[in-house]
Amino acid sequence: IYAESRIIYSQDFENAVVGSNLLGDMQVQNYNAGGGANWTYDLATGDQALAGSKSAHLNILNPGNEWWGLQFKVEDAALTTVGKSLKYKITFKIKSSTDDNFFQFYIQGMSSFVQEVPIPAGNVTQEVSIESTPMDNTGIANFMMAFGSHANIGDIWIDDIVISEMYSQIPIN
């Protein structure tokens, strides 16, 4: 049994700014422009925000021809250093402008954890919770949402991203 322990990363976009390949401290990367991948990004405000007054907004113009082409990720020594044999839980809110959309969630660098995440209904905010397998090593991990070749053309809104370390509960006799 695992119990939520320590939050290692949190992004609610309330104080976020748009930068070059950044929304707050989340990286917004296109690694497949040669394969046609293209997207824009900004901060949704007002009624478009999923929670609070701001949310991340990704507009997928072309998902490209590689699953890994469009990446929304956090990978930072100060924010995402993980421990060997520990599990991690990520929670977030997400909405798609299209039905039957999905993306792939990866933890790379210290693990090869992957999970497909469906977004079944368009324009409905969904709360997602994912628990990883134990990490293979200690070091910097890349927590990534890949909106590549499998994603739909359209808008994605994301908010309230939280990554927590999970510790084993020790029974008391």
Side-chain angles (χ1 to χ4, degrees), residues 37-105:
N38 188 18
W39 63 354
T40 61
Y41 58 92
D42 60 14
L43 290 167
T45 59
D47 292 343
Q48 291 293 313
L50 300 185
S53 63
K54 293 181 184 176
S55 297
H57 172 239
L58 310 171
N59 181 5
I60 300 171
L61 303 170
N62 184 334
N65 62 1
E66 299 288 352
W67 66 263
W68 45 263
L70 301 173
Q71 297 181 17
F72 188 60
K73 65 183 184 173
V74 60
E75 178 180 24
D76 184 285
L79 302 174
T80 61
T81 295
V82 298
K84 182 177 181 175
S85 301
L86 292 176
K87 288 185 177 184
Y88 290 82
K89 178 177 161 184
I90 182 168
T91 59
F92 54 91
K93 294 179 178 124
I94 191 165
K95 181 172 79 170
S96 171
S97 63
T98 63
D99 290 339
D100 300 319
N101 205 348
F102 80 96
F103 66 96
Q104 292 173 314
F105 175 75

